[in-house]
């Protein structure tokens, strides 16, 4: 039937959208054995995900933009505000810098996945649902990466998967893949055949999590496990749920002792801090108090406090920079924002972040209404938690939302969350109308 073919096409588009295959504009698939690949800011060397292509193909396929007013409006409003900020902040330079426009595209491109997620249509077959598609993708990538890591005898995850390479396999992908796994597992562990795939993947995810050395991914997994167990208990599926969790925890624990911050990583942190301390001139009167505050922190957190201060001061430098941002970004090899909101406000001003905050407000408001109506289900709680984790936790320490692949994955989930919340709210309104008519 036509409906079945449409479901199949949607599933194929989503599989290619989720698949972490990267290409470079010079005309080749991204292949690199470098654990920390750096494009040096060169556009032709920057690995781009095929998700960027299939996101727009998916939007065109659905042809239902009129039903995604909120997401479409927010994305284009942010784009217009950032464009306005770029023009205003570049006055007096002689011309609007190409680098600023490229940086603008880097911010705005992942946001289009918000629309794709909002347009998603739930298929009739469980095997074509987005949760199943996510499991299919993870079944290919996770065992392959874990195997490659072991064969390469790497302390941390290997980017080289033989046929192609992963980009940002340590910095960003672990939190994304762990989040996607729990998003899928909470919906599929009750389905007989699909639950077998979820269970088979559990020990692989445990090893992957241990090898990732990602504190944020571990935190996400811990809370995800709690939500998962509570949902399994509520649905009287405790046995199957505990099996999945035990497989994941045991495999994680077995590999956990290998998790250490390597000497190379520590050295890189120290070198970056040394290279930027002098230009930032932070040795002011309050430096002693500042040192007391950061004394007990890890090197990674000290580094982040150092850069957050730099970006924070830059945002409030002048009224113009506060509202419209700076004409150019800081030197990329010396200054890293490590915070999406600071990065966005520093470069494009407060006007650019307002639509983003409005989207957060709408999501929280709709979630609260459904919570009060006691209509929350475990899969919606898990999806809300994953999106909230990236909005309120991950984005405070990283810039995932402006990374092409990680940003698109999270924005897609966010778009789905908004659609599901709206659907439940619509059903609530319909039920009230029917009740009032009957009375």
């Amino acid at each position: 039937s036509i409906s079945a073919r449409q479901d199949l096409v949607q599933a194929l588009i989503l599989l290619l959208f989720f698949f972490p295959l990267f290409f470079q504009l010079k005309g080749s698939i991204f292949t690199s054995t470098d654990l920390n690949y750096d494009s040096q800011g060169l556009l032709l060397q920057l690995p781009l995900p095929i998700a960027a292509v299939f996101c727009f193909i998916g939007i065109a396929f659905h042809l239902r933009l009129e039903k995604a007013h909120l997401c479409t409006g927010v994305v284009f409003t942010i784009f217009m505000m950032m464009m306005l900020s770029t023009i205003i902040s570049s006055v007096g330079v002689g011309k609007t810098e190409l680098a600023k426009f490229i940086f603008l595209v880097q911010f705005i491109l992942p946001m289009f996945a918000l629309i794709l997620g909002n347009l998603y249509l739930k298929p009739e077959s469980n095997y074509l649902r987005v949760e199943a598609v996510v499991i299919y993708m993870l079944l290919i990538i996770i065992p392959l990466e874990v195997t490659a890591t072991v064969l390469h005898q790497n302390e941390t995850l290997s980017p080289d998967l033989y046929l192609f390479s992963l980009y940002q396999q340590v910095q960003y992908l672990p939190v994304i893949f762990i989040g996607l796994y729990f998003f899928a597992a909470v919906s599929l562990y009750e389905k007989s055949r699909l639950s077998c795939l979820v269970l088979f993947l559990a020990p692989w995810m445990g090893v992957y999590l241990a090898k990732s050395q990602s504190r944020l991914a571990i935190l996400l997994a811990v809370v995800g496990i709690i939500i998962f167990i509570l949902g399994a208990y509520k649905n009287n599926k405790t046995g199957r749920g505990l099996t999945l969790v035990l497989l994941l925890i045991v495999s994680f624990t077995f590999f956990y002792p290998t998790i250490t911050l390597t000497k190379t990583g520590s050295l890189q942190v120290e070198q970056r801090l040394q290279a930027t301390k002098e230009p930032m001139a932070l040795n002011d009167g309050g430096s002693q108090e500042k040192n007391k505050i950061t004394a007990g922190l890890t090197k990674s957190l000290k580094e982040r406090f150092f850069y957050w201060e730099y970006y924070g001061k830059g945002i409030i430098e002048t009224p113009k920079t506060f509202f419209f941002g700076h004409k150019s970004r800081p030197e990329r090899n010396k200054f890293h924002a490590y915070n999406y909101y600071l990065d966005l406000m520093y470069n494009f001003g407060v006007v650019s972040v307002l639509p983003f905050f409005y989207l957060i407000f709408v999501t929280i408001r709709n979630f609260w209404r459904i919570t009060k109506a006691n209509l929350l289900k475990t899969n919606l709680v898990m999806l809300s938690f994953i999106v909230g984790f990236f909005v309120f936790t991950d984005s405070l320490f990283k810039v995932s939302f402006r990374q092409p692949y990680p940003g698109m994955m999270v924005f897609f989930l966010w778009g789905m969350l908004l659609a599901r919340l709206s659907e439940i709210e619509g059903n609530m309104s319909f039920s009230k109308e029917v009740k009032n008519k009957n009375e």
Side-chain angles (χ1 to χ4, degrees), residues 47-93:
L48 298 170
I50 59 171
V53 176
F54 285 96
C55 176
F56 291 101
I57 292 176
I59 292 173
F61 168 76
H62 285 96
L63 295 176
R64 295 173 61 247
L65 284 177
E66 71 279 2
K67 294 186 179 181
H69 290 304
L70 174 63
C71 294
T72 309
V74 167
V75 170
F76 282 103
T77 302
I78 294 175
F79 175 74
M80 291 307 298
M81 291 298 100
M82 292 169 72
M83 181 70 76
L84 175 65
S85 300
T86 301
I87 294 171
I88 293 177
S89 65
S90 299
V91 171
V93 178

Side-chain angles (χ1 to χ4, degrees), residues 132-189:
V133 170
V134 164
I135 289 297
Y136 303 151
M137 180 275 291
L138 292 176
L139 280 169
I140 299 171
I141 296 299
I142 300 301
L144 185 57
E145 184 169 15
V146 168
T147 303
T149 301
V150 172
L151 292 178
H152 290 146
Q153 298 182 336
N154 289 346
E155 289 183 12
T156 188
L157 294 171
S158 171
D160 181 18
L161 304 190
Y162 302 106
L163 297 177
F164 60 93
S165 296
L166 297 179
Y167 179 52
Q168 300 172 327
Q169 83 286 355
V170 174
Q171 301 97 320
Y172 291 100
L173 294 190
V175 188
I176 295 295
F177 288 159
I178 293 297
L180 287 175
Y181 177 73
F182 279 103
F183 159 70
V186 78
S187 296
L188 300 180
Y189 79 100

Side-chain angles (χ1 to χ4, degrees), residues 321-337:
T321 57
F322 178 77
F323 287 105
F324 302 108
H326 290 256
K327 63 184 179 183
S328 59
R329 62 186 295 192
E331 190 176 339
R332 67 182 303 276
N333 291 326
K334 289 187 177 181
F335 301 102
H336 306 268

Side-chain angles (χ1 to χ4, degrees), residues 83-147:
M83 181 70 76
L84 175 65
S85 300
T86 301
I87 294 171
I88 293 177
S89 65
S90 299
V91 171
V93 178
K95 61 178 181 179
T96 303
E97 298 177 43
L98 177 62
K100 187 71 178 282
F101 278 109
I102 293 174
F103 200 44
L104 185 152
V105 172
Q106 189 177 351
F107 269 97
I108 206 70
L109 180 64
M111 294 182 186
F112 284 96
L114 187 73
I115 301 171
L116 181 63
N118 208 238
L119 293 174
Y120 170 74
L121 291 170
K122 186 177 178 180
E124 295 180 7
S125 171
N126 287 327
Y127 296 100
L128 298 179
R129 287 174 56 184
V130 63
E131 293 89 347
V133 170
V134 164
I135 289 297
Y136 303 151
M137 180 275 291
L138 292 176
L139 280 169
I140 299 171
I141 296 299
I142 300 301
L144 185 57
E145 184 169 15
V146 168
T147 303

